[in-house]
């Protein structure tokens, strides 16, 4: 194999070997005609890795050979073995050659070769991500991939495909494992790559972002003398590179490079010394950054040592904290149930505009790789700042017009241009609020309040109010000057004021509707109507037995239906009681009294459906990974029978890396089948509860749901799919509101922190398949040369 001959002691990151059945002993082709090729490493005067380093061949080295004819067709010639030149930069390789070709292509090492050349001469090779071996002073077998193009007489000039990252280790303890990780925007560093031999270029195919390597011989570190370890990496800029070292005592040090690392093909890139540490336990620290905080955002610094895989962080008002503790909650439960899991130390902010003037606790604790709290919980507190009242600003009630469902109100305001803030409550809700909650917390008001603020006049229109109801409007104005901390907050506002009003009675019409239940099934209820003096009907259902302001609720949330034909509610839950309401409208659009019926869906029962069986089978998965923008991992998805005609079992949708991370033994989703479509959503994945108990405090389930363009998502949303010409496409994903299918854990339904994985343009196709791509590349430098050290620093 290709090695470095050292006159100085150097440790080298190396890849594990795998056998390749395609090119076994004797090659691909039969016959006894043999040929020899001379193979050159990049010449010593161009491949010196600092002084005294050269690259040589070793006994047992094997290369993969291809011949190219005049028509640019590639023939696989099999494996060629080194027969002369071990220990030198010029080796002679021998193998079968049934016929001669004008040009030859070769790859080293055989153990990294996966698939033969395509019509452009590209090959599929692998760089391992598990069980890699670090060895002192040398590369082990198959460490450094090379490719060559040459002729029978001119020989094969091999070129390196990767660069080398030099990690200079210091510290205490004996290191036996090293992990190299890179960020989402960085190049891939392990897995399967397409090689373009003509340019010595690598292109990602099915790849990963880490190398996890054990050492053949553990390295005993020194506090004064650095030991260099070399990692073989594809060329590129690495903006988020992390190194983790693990010693024999189980101590872990993880550090992130503070500078972008540019790895160049055929060059060594040294980085600043990395110190491995031994500590007793993971720990975190919290510091409230008062100078960067105001009424809307509190900023704090969270830091944790190298032995914490991550940390939980949580901000909670003191009063709410005391309430939960009084109910028997522990700090650990609060952190794991309500906190955010964070992978890096750094500055974080939290919204506190709803807690102005009140005391807030910050809490944090280190956790291990499984998400378990693994050290001491720390807390600190602060009082949220408030916006000061500025007597130069004022707002005065002018006039208003109130109907049974709206208010149109005008104010005179100073300054003439500024920001108007308003909160609207029913008087009943307002009266039960604690005094500190009645404060106007934000200068933004509510998105459902329409207003126009210009020339000192504020016009506010609020619709969809309940009839015959008393309301309290709380309001103020603010100036539009940044406070120097956050651009979107303000330095002062007027005194807070209130305006109380009552909406008028709603004069209902004599339009009437009566309903009767026509049919009840497990997932559907059909109702029929009888009407009088009616031009249209709206219907609405709920599982709540007591609904206040019934006609208003149906008017606001109901769906207009064709009452002459009746209506069927689908997508319900089996064995559940539903309260169904309807109102009728007269010719003037005024509704009358509500009518209601109650229906309880039946238990799930099988039924015959000719459309059901066509979904059953094995599919090829096709989708875009929302988090990376790249094609998702190639695999199959199976759909099998659940309850005949009613449910289907969908296995294989969950991302493999997610299933592996959380130890999912069975990722089968129970999907519904109704309206001749398959519906996935709100279905617990089997055997997940116990697995997740230690991570999240309770056994939350994983659900499938549509992901909105804002990054938020909701559990239980049904994602439907249609079947056409052997392909099943998820139809709801075509709605502009939705961008993907999400798998997530937890009960919080509007938090991007629960985001796990999502897919875009997902489809399943029977009897589908795809081929690996071919690449086009660019030239790189010619030889391994030692570059200038990058003063990365580690944090």
């Amino acid at each position: 194999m290709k090695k470095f001959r050292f006159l100085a002691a150097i440790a080298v990151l190396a890849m594990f070997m795998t056998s390749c059945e395609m090119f076994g002993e004797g090659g691909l082709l039969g016959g006894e005609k043999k040929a020899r090729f001379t193979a050159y490493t990049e010449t010593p005067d161009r491949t010196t890795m600092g002084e005294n380093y050269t690259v040589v061949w070793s006994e047992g080295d094997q290369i993969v050979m291809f011949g190219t004819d005049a028509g640019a067709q590639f023939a696989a010639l099999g494996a060629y073995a080194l027969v002369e030149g071990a220990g030198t930069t010029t080796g002679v390789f021998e193998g079968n050659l049934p016929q001669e070709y004008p040009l030859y292509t070769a790859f080293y090492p055989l153990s990294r070769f996966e698939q033969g050349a395509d019509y452009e001469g590209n090959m599929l090779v692998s760089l391992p991500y598990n069980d890699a071996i670090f060895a002192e002073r040398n590369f082990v077998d198959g460490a450094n991939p090379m490719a060559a193009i040459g002729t029978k007489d001119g020989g094969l000039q091999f070129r390196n495909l990767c660069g080398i990252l030099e990690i200079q280790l210091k510290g205490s303890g004996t290191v036996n494992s090293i992990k190299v990780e890179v960020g989402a925007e960085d190049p891939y560093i392990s897995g399967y790559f397409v090689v373009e031999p003509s340019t010595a270029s690598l292109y990602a195919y099915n790849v990963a972002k880490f190398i996890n390597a054990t050492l053949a011989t553990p390295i005993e570190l020194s506090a004064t003398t650095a030991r260099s370890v070399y990692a073989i990496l594809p060329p590129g800029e690495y903006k988020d590179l992390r190194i983790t070292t693990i010693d024999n005592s189980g101590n872990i040090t993880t550090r992130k490079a503070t500078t972008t690392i540019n790895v160049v093909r055929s060059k060594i890139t040294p980085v600043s010394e990395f110190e491995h540490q031994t500590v007793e336990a993971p720990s975190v620290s919290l510091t409230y950054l008062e100078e960067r905080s105001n009424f809307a955002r509190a900023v704090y610094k969270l830091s944790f040592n190298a032995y914490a895989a991550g940390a939980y962080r949580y901000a909670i008002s003191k009063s709410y904290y005391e309430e939960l503790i009084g109910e028997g909650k522990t700090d650990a439960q609060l952190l794991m149930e309500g906190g955010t899991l964070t992978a890096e130390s750094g500055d974080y902010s939290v919204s506190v505009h709803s807690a102005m003037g009140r005391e807030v606790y910050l809490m944090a604790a280190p956790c291990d790789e499984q998400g378990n709290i693994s050290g001491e919980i720390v807390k600190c507190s602060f009082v949220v700042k408030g916006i000061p009242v500025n007597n130069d600003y004022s707002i005065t009630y002018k006039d208003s017009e109130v109907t049974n469902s709206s208010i149109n109100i005008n104010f005179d305001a100073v300054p003439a241009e500024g920001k108007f803030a308003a909160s609207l409550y029913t008087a009943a809700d307002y009266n039960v609020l604690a005094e500190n909650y009645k404060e106007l917390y934000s200068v933004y008001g509510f998105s459902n309040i329409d207003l126009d603020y210009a020339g000192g006049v504020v016009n506010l229109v609020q619709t969809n109010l309940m009839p015959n109801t008393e309301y309290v409007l709380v309001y103020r104005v603010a100036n539009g000057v940044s406070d120097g901390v956050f651009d979107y907050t303000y330095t002062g506002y007027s005194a807070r004021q209130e305006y109380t009003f009552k909406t008028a009675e709603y004069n209902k019409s004599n339009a009437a509707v009566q309903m009767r239940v026509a049919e009840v099934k497990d997932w559907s209820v059909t109702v029929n109507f009888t009407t009088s003096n009616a031009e249209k009907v709206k219907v609405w259902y709920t599982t709540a037995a007591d609904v206040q302001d019934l006609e208003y609720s149906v008017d606001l949330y109901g769906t207009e239906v064709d009452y002459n034909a009746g209506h069927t509610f689908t997508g319900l839950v089996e064995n559940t009681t539903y309260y169904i309401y309807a109102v009728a409208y007269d010719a003037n659009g005024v509704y009358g009294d509500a009518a209601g019926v109650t229906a309880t869906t039946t238990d799930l029962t099988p039924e015959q459906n000719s459309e059901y069986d066509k979904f059953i089978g094995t599919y090829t998965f096709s989708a875009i990974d929302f988090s990376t923008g790249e094609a998702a991992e190639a695999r199959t998805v199976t759909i099998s029978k659940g309850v005949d005609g009613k449910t289907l079992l969908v296995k294989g949708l969950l991302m493999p890396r997610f299933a592996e991370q959380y130890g999912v033994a069975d990722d089968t989703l129970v999907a519904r089948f109704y309206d001749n479509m398959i519906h996935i959503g709100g279905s617990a994945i089997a055997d997940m509860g116990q697995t997740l108990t230690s991570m999240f405090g309770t056994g939350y389930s994983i659900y499938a749901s549509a992901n909105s363009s804002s990054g938020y998502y909701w559990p239980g949303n049904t994602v439907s799919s249609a079947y056409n010409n052997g392909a099943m496409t998820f139809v709801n994903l075509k709605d502009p509101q939705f961008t993907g299918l999400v798998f997530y854990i937890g009960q919080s339904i509007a938090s991007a922190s629960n985001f796990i994985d999502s897919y875009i343009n997902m489809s399943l196709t029977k009897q589908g398949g795809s081929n690996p791509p071919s690449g086009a590349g660019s030239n790189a430098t010619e030889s391994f040369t030692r570059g200038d050290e990058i003063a990365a620093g580690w944090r």
Side-chain angles (χ1 to χ4, degrees):
M1 63 152 276
K2 179 170 180 269
K3 301 185 179 184
F4 290 131
R5 174 189 292 163
F6 294 91
L7 299 182
I10 294 181
V12 181
L13 172 67
M15 312 300 184
F16 69 86
M17 289 186 65
T18 59
S19 63
C20 181
E21 296 180 2
M22 182 177 180
F23 290 99
E25 184 176 348
L28 285 176
L29 306 174
E32 298 297 326
K33 186 175 181 181
K34 299 286 186 179
R36 293 191 174 189
F37 286 79
T38 302
Y40 307 95
T41 63
E42 294 178 302
T43 55
D45 62 339
R46 291 188 296 145
T47 58
T48 54
M49 300 179 61
E51 294 182 1
N52 303 321
Y53 306 137
T54 58
V55 182
V56 298
W57 297 106
S58 293
E59 283 188 32
D61 277 349
Q62 289 183 296
I63 60 176
V64 178
M65 288 285 289
F66 292 88
T68 309
D69 61 21
Q73 298 298 310
F74 287 84
L77 303 179
Y80 278 52
L82 183 75
V83 293
E84 295 179 11
T88 73
T89 60
T90 302
V92 177
F93 287 82
E94 183 180 80
N96 289 331
L97 185 63
Q99 69 178 66
E100 293 197 7
Y101 296 88
L103 198 65
Y104 297 89
T105 300
F107 173 79
Y108 169 88
L110 172 64
S111 60
R112 300 270 59 85
F113 185 79
E114 298 291 338
Q115 190 168 316
D118 64 10
Y119 67 93
E120 294 179 348
N122 302 320
M123 313 172 196
L124 189 66
V125 302
S126 63
L127 300 179
Y129 52 85
N130 278 325
D131 300 327
I133 302 297
F134 287 100
E136 285 280 351
R137 301 174 183 269
N138 227 322
F139 287 137
V140 296
D141 290 349
N144 186 50
M146 297 186 296
I149 294 178
T151 64
K152 185 71 167 56
D153 295 332
L156 303 170
Q157 178 63 64
F158 276 88
R159 301 174 67 192
N160 305 301
L161 300 175
C162 294
I164 297 179
L165 181 71
E166 181 182 357
I167 309 166
Q168 303 170 68
L169 296 179
K170 277 187 176 181
S172 57
T174 302
V175 171
N176 60 12
S177 181
I178 299 176
K179 185 175 184 179
V180 181
E181 298 175 277
V182 296
E185 297 181 359
D186 293 340
Y188 291 96
I189 62 175
S190 59
Y192 296 96
F193 294 82
V194 173
V195 172
E196 185 180 76
S198 62
T199 59
S201 300
L202 288 172
Y203 299 94
Y205 174 56
N206 191 355
V207 282
K209 295 277 189 177
F210 67 92
I211 301 171
N212 199 12
T214 55
L215 277 71
T217 302
I219 300 174
E220 186 174 350
L221 299 180
S222 166
T224 57
T225 304
R227 305 284 290 273
S228 289
V229 174
Y230 284 72
I232 303 293
L233 297 179
E237 285 192 352
Y238 295 89
K239 299 178 181 179
D240 188 16
L241 185 139
R242 291 178 176 81
I243 305 293
T244 298
T245 51
I246 305 173
D247 64 27
N248 287 340
S249 300
N251 295 306
I252 302 171
T253 298
T254 298
R255 292 285 188 267
K256 176 183 175 181
T258 58
T259 304
T260 296
I261 307 298
N262 186 23
V263 174
V264 179
R265 192 193 71 81
S266 288
K267 284 186 178 290
I268 294 181
T269 302
V271 292
S272 302
E273 292 176 353
F274 178 100
E275 184 178 2
H276 176 80
Q277 298 175 341
T278 57
V279 296
E280 295 182 357
S283 63
V284 300
S285 64
L286 274 177
T287 305
Y288 170 58
L289 302 177
E290 183 175 9
E291 72 281 0
R292 294 178 56 191
S293 303
N294 64 10
F295 84 96
R297 288 284 187 272
V299 184
Y300 59 95
K301 179 182 288 294
L302 169 68
S303 61
F304 45 91
N305 64 12
Y307 306 100
Y312 285 98
R313 54 186 176 87
Y314 190 33
I316 182 173
S317 69
K318 180 182 177 181
S319 59
Y320 187 44
Y321 170 83
E322 292 174 344
E323 178 184 332
L324 294 176
I325 294 297
E327 294 175 357
K329 293 281 189 179
T330 65
D331 286 349
Q333 286 176 313
L334 295 181
L335 272 171
M336 296 183 72
E337 293 175 8
T340 298
L341 193 57
T342 297
E344 291 186 18
S345 298
D347 293 353
Y348 294 93
S349 69
V350 60
S351 174
V352 291
H353 71 267
S354 61
M356 281 200 301
R358 292 185 291 142
E359 189 171 2
V360 171
Y361 279 144
L362 293 173
M363 305 173 62
C367 67
D368 58 23
E369 291 183 349
Q370 286 71 45
N372 301 306
I373 291 179
S374 56
E376 182 182 359
I377 297 173
V378 298
K379 289 200 295 281
C380 68
S381 66
F382 63 94
V383 176
V384 179
K385 299 176 182 179
I387 301 177
V389 172
N390 188 327
N391 292 327
D392 293 333
Y393 308 123
S394 65
I395 185 165
T396 306
Y397 167 79
K398 189 174 181 181
D399 54 54
S400 63
E401 179 182 352
V402 180
T403 71
N404 53 37
S405 62
S406 67
I407 182 172
N408 188 324
I409 187 169
N410 295 294
F411 303 92
D412 288 329
V414 177
E417 301 293 336
K419 187 73 178 180
F420 176 80
S423 297
L424 184 66
Y425 307 89
T426 65
D429 290 339
Y430 186 71
N431 290 336
V432 299
L433 290 176
E435 282 303 316
N436 55 356
Y437 276 100
K438 293 180 181 180
E439 176 61 84
L440 242 183
Y441 302 121
S442 171
V443 295
Y444 285 106
F446 292 104
S447 60
N448 65 343
I449 293 180
D450 300 319
L451 58 92
D452 178 25
Y453 184 6
V457 177
V458 177
N459 174 241
L460 183 150
V461 177
Q462 178 64 50
T463 58
N464 293 329
L465 303 183
M466 290 181 290
N468 196 29
T469 302
E470 189 173 51
Y471 286 90
V472 177
L473 180 70
V474 186
Y475 56 92
R476 62 159 49 103
V477 290
N479 71 324
V481 180
S482 168
D483 64 359
V485 179
F486 296 99
D487 290 341
Y488 49 82
T489 59
Y490 296 79
T491 57
Y493 51 25
S494 68
R496 165 188 167 281
Q497 297 190 60
E498 298 176 7
Y499 177 68
T500 301
F501 64 95
K502 187 176 182 179
T503 53
E505 290 270 7
Y506 188 93
N507 295 319
K508 291 185 284 189
S509 70
N510 62 353
V513 59
Q514 293 80 42
M515 278 191 301
R516 66 178 181 85
V517 177
E519 183 182 43
V520 178
K521 292 181 144 183
D522 39 22
W523 293 338
S524 67
V525 174
T526 300
V527 295
N528 290 334
F529 307 97
T530 301
T531 63
S532 61
N533 303 315
E535 293 290 329
K536 69 176 183 179
V537 166
K538 277 189 176 182
V539 294
W540 179 58
Y541 70 82
T542 176
T543 56
D546 183 22
V547 180
Q548 295 181 342
D549 304 297
L550 185 56
E551 289 88 0
Y552 168 80
S553 297
V554 181
D555 177 56
L556 187 61
Y557 304 113
T559 301
E560 185 176 346
V561 298
D562 181 357
Y563 58 89
N564 293 313
H567 183 70
T568 298
F569 299 93
T570 62
L572 306 180
V573 178
E574 67 271 15
N575 196 25
T576 301
T577 298
Y578 289 90
Y579 302 88
I580 303 171
Y581 301 102
V583 294
Y585 296 78
D586 66 12
N588 296 318
V590 180
Y591 59 74
D593 290 326
V597 294
T598 301
T600 300
T601 53
T602 63
D603 289 329
L604 193 64
T605 55
E607 70 177 26
Q608 294 299 314
N609 189 318
S610 60
E611 297 293 307
Y612 175 84
D613 289 338
K614 73 180 184 182
F615 286 90
I616 297 172
T618 301
Y619 294 77
T620 296
F621 177 88
S622 175
I624 301 298
D625 182 344
F626 180 78
S627 60
T628 65
E630 299 179 359
E633 300 163 79
R635 60 184 184 276
T636 58
V637 173
T638 59
I639 301 180
S640 57
K641 183 178 295 187
V643 176
D644 191 28
K646 301 300 293 186
T647 64
L648 293 157
L649 305 179
V650 184
K651 182 176 178 59
L653 283 184
L654 193 63
M655 282 193 175
R657 66 169 178 265
F658 179 70
E660 180 180 356
Q661 179 181 356
Y662 292 108
V664 180
D666 184 0
D667 70 347
T668 302
L669 283 164
V670 180
R672 294 177 165 202
F673 180 71
Y674 58 86
D675 296 338
N676 289 336
M677 298 179 71
I678 182 171
H679 301 257
I680 299 177
S683 305
I685 290 181
D687 300 329
M688 286 299 297
Q690 187 62 39
T691 302
L692 298 174
T693 297
S694 62
M695 291 185 57
F696 295 91
T698 57
Y700 299 149
S701 298
I702 296 180
Y703 293 82
S705 172
N707 184 59
S708 78
S709 58
S710 66
Y712 294 146
Y713 45 85
W714 302 271
N717 279 5
T718 298
V719 179
S720 305
S721 59
Y723 187 93
N724 294 295
N725 301 320
M728 186 166 65
T729 302
F730 289 76
V731 295
N732 278 11
L733 305 190
K734 298 182 181 298
D735 188 312
Q737 180 184 3
F738 299 111
T739 58
L741 187 71
V742 175
F743 293 96
Y744 63 93
I745 299 172
Q747 291 179 321
S748 176
I749 62 174
S751 170
S753 65
N754 283 340
F755 180 90
I756 300 295
D757 282 320
S758 70
Y759 301 118
I760 307 171
N761 303 332
M762 189 166 78
S763 64
L764 306 175
T765 305
K766 285 187 177 180
Q767 307 299 322
S770 61
N771 297 314
S774 61
S778 59
N779 270 319
T781 55
E782 286 293 322
S783 62
F784 274 116
T785 57
R786 184 184 174 89
D788 294 332
E789 180 173 306
I790 296 176
W794 303 95
R795 64 183 181 195

